Amino acid sequence: MKTLALFLATVTAAPAAAQMHEMHRMKMPGMAMPAKPAPKKPAPKRPAPKQTAPAKPAARKATPARARAAKPAASTMPAMDMSPTAACTAEHAAMGHCKPAANDAAPPPPAKATAAAACPPEHAAMGHCTPAASDGPAAPTGTDQPAGTAPPPAPPTTLAAARFYDSATMTKANRMMRDEHGGMRFSQILFNLAEVQVRNGRDGYRWDGAGWFGGDIHRLVVKTEGEGGFGDRVEAAEVQALYSRALDPYWNLQAGIRQDLGAGAKRTYAALGVEGLAPYWFDVEGTLFLSDKGDVLARAEAWYDQRITQRAILQPRVELNLAAQDMPGSRIGAGLSTAELGLRLRYEIRREFAPYVGLSWERRYGATARYARSDGDTTGGVSLALGVRAWF
């Protein structure tokens, strides 16, 4: 009974094995099917004891033969080029995705060209990358370029706030902003000299001051100076009213009129001069005067504040007066008429108030000295100065 069942199973499996054998021999266009390994020969079962083993059916002998003959046929699919050179193109090699095989094909682009393309000048200027070293100098960029003569770009004329406010409101706001950032008005009154001079029994007094009102560019300046003796009338005095125009942050151009007062001739002059801060912090003034009679005068002054401490300040001072002609009515001679040298030490109790003590040397020259001697006056000398320097 068992032998009959085994025979039926073998006969039933034969058509399926034949069908698989035919499928192995089929050729599919463009595709090669790998051959399946031959099925293993089933191990024969041992017959039951006391029974004679039946003869093996012929079908079982044919199955291994057909399996050995089932070789895969040659594929008709076109061959694919999977060589390393074809798989690694020049673009992929430049990006470092693969490494081409050594062959006679064209080499990849040079590393310098690749680095230059990967690091353009604008990225290198921002520090995002470092370009490879080239054989020649790099083209200058930014501020390394030579200066040119191209006109600067026009300043912006539109304001963001103008989208929300009318032109009248914007004009008022712009004017207010300019006034608060350099266009404001200031004023100061300064007496550089206000002192008593002790001169061998001929004591006297002297002043030299100025006041101004205006802004950083335009100012109205009033200057005054003079001297006299106690018990006598004022010997000489003058007042100047000047328009001052800033030439630069350190120098001003001044023009206006001067009026003489005192015992001498009371003449009126046109005044033109400059004042400012010279290098090494010297205060300098120079003025030309032309009188209504055609007389020409000139004056030059300079002084320097040397700080000894934060409050003790030593001020050397020099003043020269010149005339182009003799002026008997004003007791002034041609040439260098007077010269003065002074040295004053002040102590600033406050920045605005500083008493001082010093020495002043004065000398008259030429015809001016002759006029002084004829009037019974001295031609000069040294005097002790006691005074105060103040401003507000």
Side-chain angles (χ1 to χ4, degrees):
M1 193 66 182
K2 290 183 179 180
T3 302
L4 181 60
L6 179 62
F7 176 74
L8 291 177
T10 303
V11 174
T12 305
Q19 185 178 359
M20 293 297 297
H21 178 70
E22 291 301 328
M23 289 181 64
H24 280 296
R25 298 183 63 185
M26 291 176 63
K27 295 181 179 180
M28 298 181 66
M31 181 175 181
M33 297 295 293
K36 282 190 176 183
K40 294 182 179 180
K41 180 179 179 180
K45 295 185 177 181
R46 291 182 179 183
K50 299 181 181 180
Q51 290 184 4
T52 304
K56 294 181 180 178
R60 290 186 60 191
K61 293 180 181 180
T63 301
R66 284 199 293 269
R68 285 194 301 268
K71 287 187 177 181
S75 173
T76 59
M77 179 178 180
M80 296 178 63
D81 190 2
M82 297 301 291
S83 62
T85 304
C88 185
T89 60
E91 295 81 0
H92 288 187
M95 291 185 288
H97 294 171
C98 59
K99 184 176 181 181
N103 52 25
D104 298 334
K112 293 181 180 178
T114 305
C119 186
E122 54 271 17
H123 288 189
M126 293 184 288
H128 293 171
C129 59
T130 302
S134 59
D135 297 334
T141 59
T143 55
D144 293 335
Q145 302 181 68
T149 58
T157 57
T158 58
L159 299 174
R163 296 180 297 174
F164 307 99
Y165 299 94
D166 58 89
S167 58
T169 303
M170 290 300 300
T171 302
K172 182 179 179 181
N174 289 338
R175 173 56 56 188
M176 184 180 300
M177 181 185 66
R178 292 177 182 272
D179 290 344
E180 292 176 350
H181 293 271
M184 294 179 285
R185 301 293 181 263
F186 302 94
S187 63
Q188 182 186 40
I189 297 176
L190 167 66
F191 279 94
N192 194 33
L193 299 178
E195 62 190 27
V196 174
Q197 295 183 338
V198 181
R199 315 168 184 161
N200 292 329
R202 297 177 59 87
D203 300 341
Y205 52 87
R206 184 180 178 185
W207 75 88
D208 185 350
W212 59 267
F213 173 81
D216 295 335
I217 307 299
H218 308 281
R219 293 180 181 180
L220 172 65
V221 180
V222 177
K223 297 181 179 180
T224 178
E225 67 175 272
E227 60 181 355
F230 291 111
D232 298 332
R233 60 180 182 173
V234 177
E235 296 179 5
E238 66 181 56
V239 176
Q240 301 179 39
L242 308 170
Y243 162 72
S244 180
R245 173 66 161 79
L247 300 176
D248 60 25
Y250 300 100
W251 293 94
N252 299 320
L253 177 66
Q254 297 179 341
I257 59 173
R258 162 187 164 182
Q259 179 63 48
D260 280 354
L261 306 171
K266 298 175 177 58
R267 294 185 178 178
T268 303
Y269 300 82
L272 178 65
V274 294
E275 74 168 9
L277 195 63
Y280 301 100
W281 303 96
F282 283 89
D283 287 281
V284 178
E285 293 185 16
T287 312
L288 288 174
F289 303 99
L290 176 63
S291 73
D292 53 353
K293 303 296 183 180
D295 303 322
V296 178
L297 302 176
R299 177 181 298 154
E301 300 178 62
W303 64 90
Y304 179 76
D305 286 345
Q306 176 62 56
R307 289 191 175 271
I308 300 174
T309 67
Q310 288 294 324
R311 295 188 178 273
I313 302 170
L314 185 65
Q315 184 190 79
R317 185 177 184 275
V318 60
E319 178 179 337
L320 302 175
N321 288 279
L322 304 95
Q325 65 287 308
D326 290 337
M327 301 172 59
S330 300
R331 318 307 284 169
I332 296 175
L336 179 61
S337 57
T338 61
E340 179 199 352
L341 295 176
L343 187 64
R344 296 168 174 84
L345 177 63
R346 70 177 185 265
Y347 183 82
E348 294 182 342
I349 299 175
R350 297 186 59 184
R351 300 303 181 191
E352 301 88 349
F353 184 82
Y356 64 83
V357 60
L359 296 175
S360 177
W361 176 85
E362 184 180 2
R363 180 70 183 272
R364 294 180 174 90
Y365 296 91
T368 306
R370 292 195 300 270
Y371 291 141
R373 284 192 293 266
S374 64
D375 295 339
D377 200 357
T378 61
T379 58
V382 178
S383 60
L384 176 66
L386 302 173
V388 62
R389 182 181 186 270
W391 60 269
F392 52 90

